[in-house]
C-alpha cells in the first residue's frame, strides 16, 4: 500500500504549465483556479451560484451587484465594491479589449453606486451571469488596469481563493490553505501542484507514489487501478473535443468539403479507442447534456459523406483519392504529442479518412507550438487541421458565441455568418426557454452545414487518487483545470 509522510500535504499532478497563474492576461489553469475567485461560479453539480457577489438584482437593463460580506484577500484586506468594479471594467470596457483574455460585449457602463456595482447593458443578456463565472476578480487596492495589462497579477498573485501561492518554480507551485476562505478553510493544509504534462509520466508518478491525485487517460486505467492504494474516479463533464479545419486550405474553404469530411468520421470508434468507452459521441458544438443540444444527431456515415463530397464537385481519381480540379484532398493534421486522447483520436481519424480516400499525415507538436496557435488558429500554418478541446459551459450562448459569432474570442479563422450572429443575439436576449431552444437549434444546424470544425466526443474525465482521499467523487466539471477550485473539499480518511 502507498504511504505518505505528510497527511497535511496533497501532491497534485497538473497537466498545464504552473509557471504562470494569471487568468486575466492568460488562461484559467489548475493553479489559478485555486488562487482566484469569480463573481459567480458554476458549482460541482453544474448549477450557477453567487461566489464573490453577495446580492444581485436586475432593474431593466441594469444589474446591481453587491460584494459578498466577510470575504478577505490573501493579504488580509476585505473584498470591496471597488474590487468588483475594477474587475468588471477590465472585461467589459472596449479600451481593454485585447489586453485581457476575456471580453464581455454589450455593456454600456460599469459604475459604483454606494455599496453596489451597477452594470448597464445595451440589451438584455440572460447569459451575463454565466459569463461572469469566467471573470477573475482582482484587488483594486493593489493594482491599476495598466499594471494588470502589464502582467503584474502573475508577479503578485493575490486572490480570495481557497489556497494562496507561497512559492513556485517553473514546474512546481506550493500553495497554502487560506484560513479565511469564504467557502470554509480546506481540510488539507498545503498543496504542491506539480506540472507533469505527459500523460504516461503523470500516470507513472501516481503509481510510484510521487503524486496523490491527478487526471489520467483511459489508456492508463488498468495500470493505475491495478496499483494497491489507488482508485480511479470518473467525473462527468461539459467538455467537448473537435477536429478544427484550416479554412485557408484550397479545398477546405468549401463548407461542403468540410461537412463531407465530418460525416465520414466514426465517432463511436473514437469513443471506444481514444476514450476507452469513457464518453459519448458528439455531433454538434454543444455538449449532449446541454438544453440547447438537438435531440437527434445529423445523418453521418460513408455513404452520406461520399454524396456530400460529390456535391462539392469532388471525385475519386484512379488511385481512389478524392480530388477536385486536379487537386487531391490530402490533409496534414497536427496533434499535441503529450496528450494521449488527441494523439489516439488523431490516429483514428487518419485511419478512417485514409480508408475513405482522403490521405492523412500526422505531425506531433509541442505544448509551446499548440499555445502559439491560440491567438491565430491554423491560418498561415502548415497544418490542415488539429484536434482541440473546448469547455462547453452551462450557458449555450457562452459556448457558441465565442467560437461562431463574427467577434467571438475563439473565432480564430475569421468565420462569419450574418444569420448566426443574428440568431445568437436573439437567443441570448430571449427569456423564453422554448423560443431560445429553437433559435439555438437553428444555429447548430448552420454550424453543421458549414462545419468549420467537426465535433467529436464529450469525454468523461478520469482522476486517480490515493484511496484515503475523498470529497470530490460526485462532481461534474466544465474543464479539468477548474477541478482544483474545489480542492478545499478534499480530505483524508482512513485508508480503505
Amino acid at each position: 500500500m502507498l504511504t505518505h509522510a505528510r497527511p497535511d500535504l496533497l501532491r497534485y499532478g497538473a497537466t498545464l504549465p504552473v509557471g504562470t497563474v494569471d487568468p486575466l492576461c492568460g488562461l484559467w489553469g489548475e493553479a489559478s483556479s485555486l488562487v482566484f475567485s469569480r463573481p459567480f461560479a458554476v458549482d460541482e453539480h453544474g448549477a450557477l451560484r453567487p461566489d464573490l457577489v453577495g446580492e444581485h438584482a436586475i432593474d431593466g437593463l441594469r444589474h446591481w451587484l453587491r460584494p459578498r460580506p466577510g470575504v478577505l484577500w490573501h493579504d488580509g484586506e476585505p473584498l470591496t465594491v471597488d474590487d468588483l468594479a475594477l474587475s468588471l471594467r477590465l472585461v467589459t470596457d472596449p479600451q481593454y479589449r485585447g489586453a485581457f483574455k476575456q471580453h464581455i460585449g454589450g455593456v454600456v457602463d460599469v459604475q459604483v453606486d454606494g455599496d453596489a456595482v451597477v452594470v448597464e447593458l445595451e440589451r438584455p443578456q440572460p447569459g451575463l451571469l454565466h459569463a461572469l463565472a469566467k471573470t477573475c476578480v482582482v484587488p483594486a487596492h493593489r493594482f491599476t488596469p495598466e499594471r494588470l495589462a502589464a502582467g503584474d497579477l502573475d508577479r503578485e498573485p493575490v486572490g480570495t481563493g481557497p489556497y494562496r501561492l507561497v512559492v513556485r518554480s517553473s514546474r512546481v507551485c506550493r500553495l497554502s490553505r487560506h484560513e479565511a476562505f469564504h467557502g470554509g478553510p480546506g481540510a488539507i493544509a498545503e498543496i504542491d501542484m506539480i506540472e507533469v504534462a505527459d500523460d504516461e509520466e503523470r500516470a507513472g508518478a501516481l503509481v510510484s507514489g510521487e503524486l496523490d491525485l491527478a487526471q489520467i487517460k483511459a489508456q492508463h486505467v488498468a495500470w493505475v487501478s491495478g496499483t494497491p492504494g489507488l482508485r480511479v474516479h470518473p467525473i462527468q463533464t461539459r467538455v467537448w473535443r473537435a477536429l478544427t479545419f484550416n479554412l485557408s486550405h484550397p479545398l477546405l474553404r468549401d463548407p461542403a468539403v468540410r461537412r463531407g469530411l465530418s460525416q465520414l468520421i466514426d465517432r463511436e470508434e473514437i469513443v471506444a479507442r481514444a476514450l476507452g468507452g469513457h464518453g459519448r459521441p458528439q455531433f454538434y458544438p454543444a455538449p449532449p447534456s446541454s438544453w440547447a443540444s438537438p435531440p437527434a444527431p445529423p445523418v453521418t456515415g460513408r455513404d452520406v459523406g461520399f454524396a456530400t463530397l460529390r456535391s462539392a464537385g469532388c471525385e475519386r481519381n484512379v488511385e481512389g483519392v478524392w480530388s477536385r480540379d486536379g487537386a487531391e484532398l490530402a490533409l496534414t493534421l497536427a496533434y499535441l504529442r503529450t496528450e494521449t486522447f488527441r494523439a489516439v483520436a488523431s490516429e483514428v481519424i487518419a485511419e478512417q479518412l485514409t480508408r475513405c480516400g482522403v490521405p492523412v499525415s500526422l505531425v506531433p507538436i509541442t505544448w509551446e507550438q499548440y499555445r502559439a496557435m491560440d491567438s491565430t488558429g491554423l491560418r498561415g500554418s502548415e497544418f490542415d487541421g488539429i484536434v482541440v478541446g473546448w469547455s462547453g459551459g452551462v450557458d449555450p450562448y457562452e459556448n457558441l458565441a465565442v467560437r461562431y459569432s463574427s467577434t467571438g474570442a475563439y473565432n480564430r479563422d475569421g468565420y462569419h455568418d450574418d444569420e448566426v450572429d443574428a440568431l445568437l443575439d436573439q437567443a441570448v436576449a430571449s427569456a423564453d426557454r422554448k423560443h431560445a431552444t429553437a433559435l439555438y437549434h437553428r444555429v447548430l444546424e448552420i454550424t453543421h452545414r458549414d462545419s468549420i470544425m467537426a465535433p467529436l466526443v464529450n469525454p468523461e474525465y478520469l482522476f486517480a487518487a490515493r484511496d484515503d482521499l475523498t470529497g470530490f467523487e460526485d462532481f461534474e466539471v466544465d474543464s479539468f483545470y477548474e477541478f482544483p477550485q474545489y480542492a478545499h473539499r478534499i480530505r483524508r480518511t482512513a485508508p480503505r
Side-chain angles (χ1 to χ4, degrees), residues 1-21:
M1 180 175 292
L2 298 175
T3 60
H4 196 296
R6 284 195 55 190
D8 61 341
L9 172 67
L10 174 70
R11 299 166 302 171
Y12 182 92
T15 64
L16 294 178
V18 298
T20 178
V21 293

Side-chain angles (χ1 to χ4, degrees), residues 310-333:
R310 289 192 183 97
S311 73
C314 298
E315 293 292 341
R316 300 185 79 166
N317 60 25
V318 293
E319 288 82 21
V321 175
W322 288 94
S323 64
R324 187 171 72 183
D325 300 329
E328 289 190 346
L329 182 56
L331 305 177
T332 299
L333 304 184

Side-chain angles (χ1 to χ4, degrees), residues 10 88 118 127 155 159 181 224 231 242 264 272 274 276 282 316-317 340 364 405-406 410 494-495:
L10 174 70
L88 295 178
V118 182
R155 290 180 276 275
F181 177 57
V224 172
R231 299 182 70 216
L264 292 176
Q282 184 167 323
R316 300 185 79 166
N317 60 25
T340 304
S405 109
S406 300
Y410 291 106

Side-chain angles (χ1 to χ4, degrees), residues 16-17 20 25-27 101 336 365-376:
L16 294 178
T20 178
C25 294
L27 300 170
K101 203 69 177 178
L336 183 59
I365 62 172
T366 65
W367 171 253
E368 290 73 22
Q369 289 174 294
Y370 183 82
R371 281 298 302 272
M373 293 181 188
D374 185 58
S375 59
T376 61

Side-chain angles (χ1 to χ4, degrees), residues 182-205:
H182 54 279
I188 293 176
E190 291 186 316
I191 296 177
D192 276 355
M193 188 158 282
I194 305 164
E195 179 189 336
V196 189
D198 185 86
D199 291 331
E200 187 169 354
E201 289 181 18
R202 196 165 56 256

